[in-house]
């Protein structure tokens, strides 16, 4: 057995607030998902004009970032034809997202969760996810 | 064309607060999901000790209550062998929940969403969902 | 954040040995799966004459026991027509097992994983899973 | 009728030991799966820091290598746009892996199984799988 840190609902609410604030600042309504280190959903919110298709995408991005311990952007770069992870996006029942906007949450060396955003451009999605990561890092360090 | 009311993120937050308060009162950590009238997720929260399997169940209950416009308990009663809805739970990719804890949200004659709770007994789940429905009804009437 | 115990591969190997020994004692080849507290697979073994269909069943039993924090037998009892959890077995993409043979692994008050066995009768499956739980309890207390 | 060789649990344990040893040598925790010639799982182990998403990927790689009788790397090369296997990775319910790290197990002319590894780079994954294949070849010849 070993001891590991676990994200709480209060942590997720804190991260969510930072994401919502950033999305409002960008004036883009988003779907925002936060998972634990196993990729299981802790919190989700859909802003009023966020896309329906992005519900699933945001959840998949947060799942992937947590469970694979990398930004989803990093996978996009190596998943193009001819690169080593080409085709990885159909694994995990199609839940392996390779579109930017999913970021892992670390506490020291431990993976503790993931944030996934969708409905803007992938760059906007990642900016909103990063705001959540920053808020988490600020209050755990 | 016709005009229909639509649940907002602010509405969902209001309903969620009432559900969380009731779950704390019962001292049972819950997974709580809120959908729009189409059955699509608007908001989800997992309390710290809520079951992992209940993430999916809470979401399915809220989907079913909204999309079928009935409490999931009502379907449980008519889905036993020999009754008219027997087998309905395998429809909709297994998302058609027939376990109590999912309630529809109405505004006058309009269906506007669903609340689904899971992790307690089905009776406890329904009490928490009902707290959300009551909070919604109180502030829309 | 909170700290929680986590099952290691070494723990899973220890549990697996106890299950395999018990299955040999019963002279029934089994599929045996061990998950972490999130329901994610850590270890699996199929004995030479274990059923092919039981691969999936053993994995689902271990997932359910860990993620729902109860024996799968307990769900079987309350999932018959007319009982409150009727229909729960189609949730979680059909991975919610209600057949005996899945047992949760606890360390003090913490859920840390699940053991799922299949290929014998459900009673035999549970005996083999219990051997794994006992071995885990013996060496963690 | 014809007689065919079949991989046993003891064979799989032998292959697994070689894979685990190689992964430790590379200092990369891996998810490692071994299937029979039908692509059905015989054995799986997740090392403590292996990725959650790689559980599914390792199992899919071993399935593909066994059932398609080729290394998954070979499929990656011919699955890029314009090549004959483009799109094959969405077949078999998304279980057809085209990422390096899955190798078939042959005994003389007979396919007898597959080894799939994931969590490192695809090249590292294949090195670990190859260690398993080598151990199998060494003791069957």
């Amino acid at each position: 057995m070993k001891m590991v840190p676990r994200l709480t609902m209060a942590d997720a609410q804190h991260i969510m607030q930072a994401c919502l604030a950033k999305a409002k600042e960008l004036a883009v309504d988003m779907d925002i998902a936060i998972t634990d280190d196993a990729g299981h959903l802790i919190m989700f919110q859909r802003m009023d004009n966020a896309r329906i298709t992005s519900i699933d995408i945001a959840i998949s991005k947060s799942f992937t970032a947590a469970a694979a311990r990398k930004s989803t952007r990093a996978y996009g770069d190596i998943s193009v034809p001819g690169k080593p992870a080409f085709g990885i996006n159909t694994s995990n029942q199609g839940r392996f997202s390779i579109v930017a906007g999913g970021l892992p949450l670390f506490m020291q060396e431990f993976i503790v969760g993931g944030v996934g955003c969708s409905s803007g451009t992938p760059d906007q999605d990642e900016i909103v996810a990063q705001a959540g990561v920053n808020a988490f890092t600020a209050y755990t360090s």
Side-chain angles (χ1 to χ4, degrees), chain A:
Chain A
M1 300 296 296
K2 60 177 177 176
M3 296 300 290
V4 296
R6 166 144 306 165
L7 211 63
T8 63
M9 187 176 78
D11 296 324
Q13 288 170 328
H14 188 83
I15 296 165
M16 180 63 76
Q17 287 315 309
C19 291
L20 290 172
K22 179 58 74 177
K24 275 172 201 155
E25 188 187 314
L26 297 181
V28 185
D29 279 13
M30 295 255 172
D31 292 281
I32 303 164
I34 300 166
T35 70
D36 62 22
D37 63 304
H40 294 312
L41 197 60
I42 299 179
M43 190 166 186
F44 172 86
Q45 284 200 244
R46 171 155 55 107
M47 295 170 77
D48 289 353
N49 295 308
R51 295 178 213 276
I52 298 296
T53 42
S54 288
I55 300 170
D56 178 77
I57 296 171
I59 294 174
S60 290
K61 284 179 179 176
S62 61
F63 162 75
T64 304
R69 301 174 194 170
K70 267 194 193 170
S71 79
T72 51
R73 177 186 294 276
Y75 277 103
D77 294 339
I78 56 171
S79 298
V80 295
K83 290 288 180 116
F86 176 55
I88 204 170
N89 54 313
T90 54
S91 74
N92 287 270
Q93 298 79 51
R95 297 171 67 211
F96 199 111
S97 177
I98 59 173
V99 180
L103 293 175
L105 292 162
F106 283 99
M107 191 173 135
Q108 296 146 19
E109 78 274 23
F110 295 104
I111 178 79
V112 294
V115 185
C117 300
S118 184
S119 220
T121 65
D123 282 346
Q124 289 174 322
D125 296 343
E126 198 179 51
I127 288 167
V128 173
Q130 187 64 54
V133 172
N134 293 348
F136 176 70
T137 306
Y139 105 121
T140 54
S141 60

